[in-house]
């Protein structure tokens, strides 16, 4: 019993101490002249879908939930956001070259159609991001329209 209490005691101490390890949750400023929705003159319905299902991980407009302020969960959340931004950051769309934009749009179409995005783990904590079939069709049609026009 004493060993069990020692384990609990030291576990609580470690959990308390790791709360002091900083996690940078500051978003970089968004320049509207580089932002996807502004540059592409995105229709309001598509903009709403992007904001609710994509922007937390794929933009510099991340809204961190309360649980993202508790270590070690905060580390995981920040890692997912960093990975999402590495693959596609809609806030800096204007900085990408045309080939990269094309590739990102093609990957986005595939990911949305195949229900790979938004990530299932994200949807469990953010049910509003669970896109309906109609929303998925609207979003993929929009991306495909941009691809066909070459106006990316």
């Amino acid at each position: 019993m004493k060993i069990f209490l020692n384990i609990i005691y030291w576990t609580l101490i470690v959990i308390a101490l790791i709360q002091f390890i900083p996690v940078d949750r500051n978003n970089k400023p968004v320049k509207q002249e580089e932002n996807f929705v502004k540059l592409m003159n995105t229709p309001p319905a598509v903009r709403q879908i992007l904001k609710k299902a994509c922007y937390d991980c794929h933009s510099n407009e991340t809204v961190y939930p309360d649980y993202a302020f508790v270590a070690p969960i905060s580390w995981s959340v920040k890692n997912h956001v960093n990975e999402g931004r590495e693959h596609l950051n809609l806030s800096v769309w204007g900085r990408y070259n045309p080939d990269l934009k094309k590739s990102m749009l093609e990957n986005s179409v595939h990911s949305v159609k195949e229900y790979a995005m938004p990530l299932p783990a994200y949807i469990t904590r953010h049910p509003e991001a669970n896109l309906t079939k109609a929303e998925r069709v609207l979003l993929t049609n929009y991306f495909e329209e941009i691809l066909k026009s070459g106006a990316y």
Side-chain angles (χ1 to χ4, degrees):
M1 182 69 163
K2 184 169 170 104
I3 293 173
F4 179 70
L5 291 175
N6 271 338
I7 291 171
I8 290 175
Y9 174 77
W10 286 108
T11 301
L12 292 174
I13 295 292
V14 169
I15 289 172
L17 289 175
I18 66 174
Q19 301 312 308
F20 294 102
I21 299 172
V23 174
D24 182 13
R25 285 178 289 273
N26 294 316
N27 290 318
K28 293 179 182 174
V30 177
K31 295 178 183 175
Q32 290 308 309
E33 64 272 11
E34 295 178 348
N35 195 356
F36 178 85
V37 296
K38 179 75 171 173
L39 280 173
M40 303 310 296
N41 197 23
T42 304
V46 176
R47 185 179 307 134
Q48 179 185 5
I49 294 168
L50 290 170
K51 294 282 185 177
K52 78 175 187 174
C54 308
Y55 263 57
D56 271 349
C57 295
H58 295 287
S59 80
N60 292 338
E61 299 179 43
T62 304
V63 178
Y64 290 96
D66 291 340
Y67 61 82
F69 291 83
V70 179
I73 298 167
S74 59
W75 307 338
S76 177
V77 170
K78 184 60 180 170
N79 184 56
H80 284 144
V81 170
N82 287 345
E83 284 182 17
R85 289 176 181 170
E86 283 177 24
H87 291 285
L88 167 65
N89 187 335
L90 296 165
S91 295
V92 296
W93 182 257
R95 295 183 200 170
Y96 296 138
N97 69 52
D99 290 335
L100 191 52
K101 288 178 181 178
K102 181 181 179 193
S103 175
M104 289 176 172
L105 286 167
E106 290 169 343
N107 289 338
S108 296
V109 167
H110 176 76
S111 296
V112 173
K113 278 185 176 179
E114 298 298 318
Y115 288 74
M117 285 288 158
L119 292 174
Y122 181 77
I123 292 171
T124 60
R125 296 272 188 195
H126 304 270
E128 71 280 0
N130 192 8
L131 301 178
T132 65
K133 185 172 173 109
E135 289 172 324
R136 287 179 185 279
V137 168
L138 180 63
L139 189 57
T140 56
N141 285 349
Y142 179 66
F143 291 154
E144 287 171 338
E145 182 181 304
I146 294 170
L147 284 165
K148 283 180 192 172
S149 73
Y152 39 85

